[in-house]
Amino acid sequence: MPAASVPVEVSGAVYFATESPVWGGGRAFYDPGAAGRVLARAHLVSAGQFADIAAQEMYREPGADLDLSEVLARGRAVLGEGRYETLVCAGQLDGLPVLTFTAPWGIDEVAWVPPSAAYARFLCLGLLEAGAWDAETVAAYVASRPGAAGHWTARAVGELIHGSGPGGTVV
């Protein structure tokens, strides 16, 4: 059974950088120190489930526990130099920490890379599934993120959402 999820807005910024061999474009990263707000979904998972998800994104073998004491005490814990190897506590929700992982670098310390159509659509559909934002809001948000801005327009991202843009028929 999938974990429960809720829409959240946290401070900081999402941007696209590096090249995903799976998606063929920029990956989404979170900079909690940047100005702005981030639209996201929070999933209620156990510490062990979070550790497994993080391990998979870090190209590590799942099954090992993560020491969350530093991220919970300081708001940040760097486990390595690679992408998604920095844990961040983005706040609290109903008394529980909102944890995620990102890169150790900030938004202005890396070249921005546009996301692929498939990845942009995947992110948009996930945000829409949260139920807090409409397609126009989500399309404008994703198109405005550094890396996507200047490459994707809100209209083009909206077409991706509805399956009429590049790479997409809705199945």
Side-chain angles (χ1 to χ4, degrees), residues 6 20-21 41 47 51 53 55 66 75 101 106 108 112 119 128 139 150 153 163 169:
V6 295
S20 168
R41 283 173 68 180
I53 296 164
L66 278 178
F101 35 83
D108 294 324
W112 300 333
Y119 189 55
L128 286 171
T153 63
T169 355

Side-chain angles (χ1 to χ4, degrees), residues 51-52 54-63 66 79-82 85:
D52 283 350
Q56 291 171 50
E57 289 297 329
M58 295 177 196
Y59 296 127
R60 297 178 183 181
E61 194 64 35
L66 278 178
L79 306 179
E81 295 182 15
E85 291 189 346

Side-chain angles (χ1 to χ4, degrees), residues 61-139:
E61 194 64 35
D65 288 338
L66 278 178
D67 179 359
L68 300 176
S69 58
E70 184 177 353
V71 69
L72 294 174
R74 296 193 173 117
R76 183 179 177 98
V78 179
L79 306 179
E81 295 182 15
R83 56 132 189 100
Y84 302 137
E85 291 189 346
T86 297
L87 305 180
V88 174
C89 182
Q92 298 271 321
L93 181 64
D94 296 333
L96 298 171
V98 176
L99 297 177
T100 190
F101 35 83
T102 190
W105 57 79
I107 192 169
D108 294 324
E109 299 174 86
V110 65
W112 300 333
V113 177
S116 67
Y119 189 55
R121 182 172 188 270
F122 178 78
L123 294 176
C124 288
L125 293 178
L127 289 173
L128 286 171
E129 204 172 273
W133 310 284
D134 62 21
E136 184 177 289
T137 300
V138 168

Side-chain angles (χ1 to χ4, degrees), residues 11-41:
S11 59
V14 165
Y15 62 97
F16 297 97
T18 73
E19 183 81 22
S20 168
V22 174
W23 294 101
R27 298 174 175 111
F29 293 99
Y30 169 55
D31 185 341
R37 71 182 177 112
V38 174
L39 306 183
R41 283 173 68 180

